[in-house]
Amino acid sequence: MTKYKALLAALLVSLGATPAVAPVASAVVPSAPAVTDTAAPADPKGAGTAASPTPEAALGRVAHPLRTTEPRSGPADLRPFGRMVGDARVVGLGEATHSSHEFFTAKHRVFRYLVEEKGFRAFALEAPWSTGLRLDAYLLHGEGDLERIMDEEFQGTYRWWNNAEYRDLFQWIRAYNVGHSRDPVRFVGDDSGFAGAELYDRVTAYAAAARPELAPRLAELYRGLRPSTDAGSYVDDYLSKPLDERKGFAERTGRAVDLLKQRPGPDADAHAWAVQHATAIHQTTTLYAFDWDDPESVPDLMLYRDRVMAENVTWWQRRTGARIALSAHNGHIALKTYIPGACPKVQGDFLREQLGDGYLSVGLTFGHGSFNAFDREGTIRRFTVGTAVPGTAEHTLDRVRYRDFMVDLRDAPATARAWLAAPHAVKNIGATYPGIADAPQVRLAKSYDVVIHLQRVEAARMLK
C-alpha cells in the first residue's frame, strides 16, 4: 500500500483498516513515555478588571464545576448538565484523544446520569453497525462473553475501544438491563469500517422467512463477501483487492438493498431492520470502493463516512424513539469541520441538519496529561503532553476558576463571546500521534454547544 494510506490512518480516526506502511505491534504501552509539547506552566489565573474581564473570568461566571469523572459518584454536580441537555434526542460526547482514562470515565458517568435522570436509552459508539448488534445482544440478553466480543470486534484502530473503562461501562449497562428488562439500554455501532457475518446472516434469514423467492438472488449478490476471518484480516485483505473489483462489490450490495426495498414482507418492522442491515453492508463496501491511494478522493471519502454515521444514528433514534448518547472524537461530533479541505462536513453537522436542536454537541478538552496512540511506525505507545501554551484554547480554559468544569457556550457572557468566536489552536489527537491535524484552528462557539474541560488526563487501560 502507498504512503498515502498512512495519512488516511490519521484522518480516519477509527476505521478498521491498518495500513501496511504502519504495521500494528502488540498493544504494549512502553514503561518510558514519549514526551512532547513540553511547555512552561500556565500563568496564574487572571480575573482581569471589572471593566474588562478576561475570557476565563467571564466563562468562570457561567461554568459549573465537575467534581469527578469517576462513574460511581452521585449526580448532584451533573444536574446543570441535565439542564443544558434539555430535550435533545441525541447528545454527542466528544474526546480530544482516543485513549485517555478520564474521557471514557466522564462519558460513563454522564451516560449513567442521562439514563437515570433524563430517560436516555441508547449508547452509540464510533464502531461498526455489526459490532453494535453483537454488543447489543450481550447487553440485552447476556449473549456471549463480553471480553471475547470486545477482543473480536475492537480490532485495527477500533482497538482503542478495547479498554477497561468501556468494559466497566458495558458491565454497568448489562447490570442495569437485568433490573430493567422492560425498559433496557441499547447499544448502537454507527460506523462503516466493517460488516460482520451477522449482518449477512440477518438479511438472508429475513429473506428466507419473509420473501423466500429473494433468497437465491441475495445469495448471489453477497457471494464471497460474508467475512470468515477476523475483522482486521478481512479489511486488510479487502483493501488489497483491485479498485475495480471493490467497486463491483459495492454495486452488488447496492442492488441487494434495492431488491429488499422493492419487495417488503408482511412485517413492516422486520422489513425495516433487514433493509437497515443490508444498508450497513452497502456502507462498508461503498467506503472501500473509494480510491484510497488517491489524495483527490480523501474529501469525498471522509464526507461519505461522516454522513452515514449520522444517518445510522438518526435512523436508530427515529426507529426506536430512544434518546441517544453518541461517543466519538471531537472532530466527528462537532457542529463544523476543523479541516474543510480534507473533511468537508462532519457527523455533528449532519446531525444538526437532521435533528435541529434535537442534537447537542459536547466537546471534551484537556490541558495536559497522557494518552495511548500509534506512533509513526505503527507501534502503540503512551504519549504525554505538557501544560497548554499561551494562545491555545486549553491555556484559557485551564485558567477558568474550576479545575474541571462544564460550560454552556450558548449562554456565554458577551465578554467571552469574542474569544469563543475567534480561532484558537486545540489539541485534536486521533489514532496516530503526532498526526496531520493535531492542533487545528477551532472556533469553539461554532463547533460545540457545550464544553467539558479537564485539566489533566491519564492514558486509558487497554485490555489488549
Side-chain angles (χ1 to χ4, degrees):
M1 295 191 190
T2 70
K3 180 180 179 181
Y4 202 73
K5 284 178 184 164
L7 180 64
L8 283 174
L11 275 172
L12 298 178
V13 178
S14 282
L15 205 52
T18 302
V21 295
V24 178
S26 60
V28 176
V29 181
S31 56
V35 180
T36 61
D37 268 8
T38 53
D43 294 334
K45 296 183 178 183
T49 67
S52 179
T54 61
E56 54 266 34
L59 290 171
R61 293 172 189 169
V62 292
H64 299 273
L66 183 68
R67 187 171 58 82
T68 180
T69 65
E70 292 308 306
R72 291 164 184 78
S73 299
D77 58 326
L78 290 176
R79 293 200 173 109
F81 181 75
R83 293 192 291 273
M84 298 174 197
V85 169
D87 296 326
R89 302 191 297 281
V90 175
V91 172
L93 298 171
E95 58 200 26
T97 84
H98 267 324
S99 191
S100 289
H101 171 83
E102 287 78 7
F103 287 145
F104 294 138
T105 56
K107 292 184 190 189
H108 182 167
R109 185 169 183 237
V110 165
F111 184 61
R112 283 194 186 202
Y113 171 80
L114 293 175
V115 168
E116 295 171 343
E117 303 286 338
K118 300 289 287 184
F120 278 60
R121 288 297 179 269
F123 186 86
L125 180 62
E126 195 181 339
W129 185 264
S130 54
T131 297
L133 297 181
R134 286 191 72 188
L135 275 169
D136 192 52
Y138 169 79
L139 298 173
L140 285 175
H141 310 298
E143 294 181 14
D145 176 78
L146 177 59
E147 292 198 14
R148 180 176 177 179
I149 293 170
M150 293 176 70
D151 285 348
E152 292 177 350
E153 294 296 328
F154 296 144
Q155 296 192 23
T157 48
Y158 288 118
R159 70 179 55 203
W160 307 118
W161 312 152
N162 195 8
N163 59 63
E165 292 83 1
Y166 269 150
R167 181 183 60 188
D168 190 35
L169 169 61
F170 298 148
Q171 288 172 338
W172 175 80
I173 295 174
R174 176 61 190 144
Y176 180 92
N177 286 346
V178 169
H180 301 80
S181 58
R182 294 186 179 181
D183 187 24
V185 172
R186 307 289 301 275
F187 182 88
V188 187
D190 68 359
D191 206 356
S192 53
F194 179 64
E198 48 278 314
L199 282 180
Y200 293 88
D201 295 343
R202 292 195 186 204
V203 173
T204 55
Y206 165 80
R211 285 290 188 184
E213 72 277 12
L214 299 183
R217 183 66 179 135
L218 285 171
E220 176 60 23
L221 291 171
Y222 287 153
R223 178 175 47 83
L225 293 178
R226 182 185 181 277
S228 58
T229 62
D230 66 87
S233 298
Y234 178 88
V235 172
D236 285 343
D237 178 65
Y238 196 102
L239 274 175
S240 71
K241 299 180 186 300
L243 179 60
D244 284 346
E245 187 175 353
R246 302 199 312 262
K247 288 181 176 179
F249 293 155
E251 193 273 334
R252 281 163 45 189
T253 59
R255 278 190 279 150
V257 174
D258 291 340
L259 191 66
L260 286 166
K261 285 181 176 179
Q262 293 161 8
R263 303 293 295 275
D267 185 330
D269 189 59
H271 176 253
W273 282 97
V275 169
Q276 174 61 18
H277 297 330
T279 297
I281 293 171
H282 182 53
Q283 289 170 352
T284 298
T285 58
T286 301
L287 185 73
Y288 294 135
F290 287 92
D291 186 351
W292 282 46
D293 294 322
D294 180 8
E296 300 282 329
S297 71
V298 170
D300 289 339
L301 187 158
M302 296 296 292
L303 181 69
Y304 180 78
R305 184 191 177 210
D306 274 70
R307 177 171 64 80
V308 300
M309 288 198 295
E311 288 174 352
N312 289 336
V313 170
T314 301
W315 185 92
W316 183 286
Q317 199 285 316
R318 289 173 174 166
R319 192 76 205 169
T320 67
R323 302 177 78 184
I324 301 172
L326 163 65
S327 177
H329 194 274
N330 280 342
H332 288 304
I333 61 92
L335 299 172
K336 295 294 178 186
T337 180
Y338 291 169
I339 42 177
C343 308
K345 190 171 181 179
V346 292
Q347 184 180 17
D349 199 346
F350 284 111
L351 287 170
R352 177 55 60 86
E353 249 181 21
Q354 294 162 8
L355 300 173
D357 290 341
Y359 174 65
L360 184 82
S361 175
V362 183
L364 272 69
T365 59
F366 77 108
H368 65 284
S370 61
F371 54 90
N372 303 310
F374 293 128
D375 64 19
R376 287 179 171 171
E377 283 69 50
T379 301
I380 291 179
R381 302 189 64 186
R382 178 183 293 122
F383 294 89
T384 297
V385 294
T387 306
V389 299
T392 63
E394 293 89 355
H395 181 262
T396 296
L397 295 173
D398 270 350
R399 292 159 60 87
V400 170
R401 61 187 294 188
Y402 304 114
R403 181 181 186 277
D404 298 334
F405 62 90
M406 60 200 103
V407 61
D408 191 332
L409 305 187
R410 299 166 298 179
D411 295 332
T415 48
R417 288 177 195 160
W419 182 82
L420 291 169
H424 300 282
V426 298
K427 293 184 178 74
N428 184 58
I429 298 157
T432 301
Y433 188 80
I436 64 167
D438 286 331
Q441 294 290 310
V442 175
R443 302 174 191 271
L444 291 178
K446 291 185 177 294
S447 299
Y448 310 112
D449 298 305
V450 174
V451 163
I452 296 176
H453 182 69
L454 310 175
Q455 282 206 5
R456 180 180 178 83
V457 299
E458 295 293 338
R461 299 190 296 272
M462 298 182 68
L463 296 178
K464 272 241 173 157

